[in-house]
Amino acid sequence: MRFEESPGLVVDNALSIGFLCLDPYMPLKFFVSVVRWEIRRASRLALAGLIVEIPEVKGFPPPDVMARKDMVIAWAESAHGDAFEQIGRAARDARLRLAIVAPEEYIDRDLIGLKIAAIHGLTACIVTTEQAAIAWMKVVNRQSTSP
């Protein structure tokens, strides 16, 4: 992991991706808020994607369906931004993608959260490793730039 020396948002300019590693003891409410804030920040930086890593979770149990729904809707709203940001984003043709790296037991096998995110216009994935998140990000970014 790349976070031992510098916590917080780390930007990989070559990939145009932000990386964020979160405190495993963070309660769910703060997790959702911090990710929401960092999605907006990554959008303002015109990043193609944000990878949020919480490889160990000790601050909350796996969210239920309603909590997953609320969290991804909040994140989708942040990814869309306000009207002023939308004008700038349309000009850049940028749409932020979100990858979450979490323990296996936090991944709903039915991927309900991802389905809800897609309905609300947020391209997202949840995986167990940073490498898988980077690989997914490269694929979706390549797909969005091909004719």
Side-chain angles (χ1 to χ4, degrees):
M1 284 201 191
R2 56 184 91 217
F3 301 103
E4 282 79 26
E5 296 106 32
S6 59
L9 185 66
V10 175
V11 175
D12 182 323
N13 289 318
L15 296 174
S16 187
I17 296 172
F19 293 85
L20 179 67
C21 190
L22 297 176
D23 180 346
Y25 293 96
M26 182 178 289
L28 180 61
K29 180 178 180 177
F30 292 121
F31 172 72
V32 174
S33 295
V34 168
V35 173
R36 186 175 187 157
W37 173 261
E38 293 298 343
I39 287 171
R40 292 194 64 118
R41 185 171 167 204
S43 292
R44 287 185 179 118
L45 291 171
L47 298 177
L50 176 64
I51 296 176
V52 176
E53 299 187 49
I54 188 160
E56 292 183 69
V57 183
K58 300 178 190 302
F60 57 90
D64 63 17
V65 173
M66 292 308 292
R68 290 174 196 273
K69 173 187 159 282
D70 293 344
M71 117 178 31
V72 298
I73 289 173
W75 295 345
E77 289 170 355
S78 288
H80 294 308
D82 58 31
F84 180 73
E85 289 174 344
Q86 285 293 359
I87 293 168
R89 184 173 299 127
R92 290 189 310 266
D93 193 30
R95 176 158 267 159
L96 185 80
R97 285 102 177 145
L98 177 66
I100 304 290
V101 178
E104 183 75 37
E105 61 271 17
Y106 281 72
I107 301 174
D108 174 36
R109 71 177 195 276
D110 294 325
L111 302 176
I112 297 298
L114 298 182
K115 293 172 184 173
I116 295 168
I119 289 168
H120 290 275
L122 177 62
T123 303
C125 79
I126 185 165
V127 293
T128 57
T129 67
E130 179 182 278
Q131 295 78 14
I134 292 170
W136 175 83
M137 200 68 72
K138 287 179 179 178
V139 169
V140 296
N141 287 344
R142 201 170 27 247
Q143 289 172 346
S144 71
T145 58
S146 38

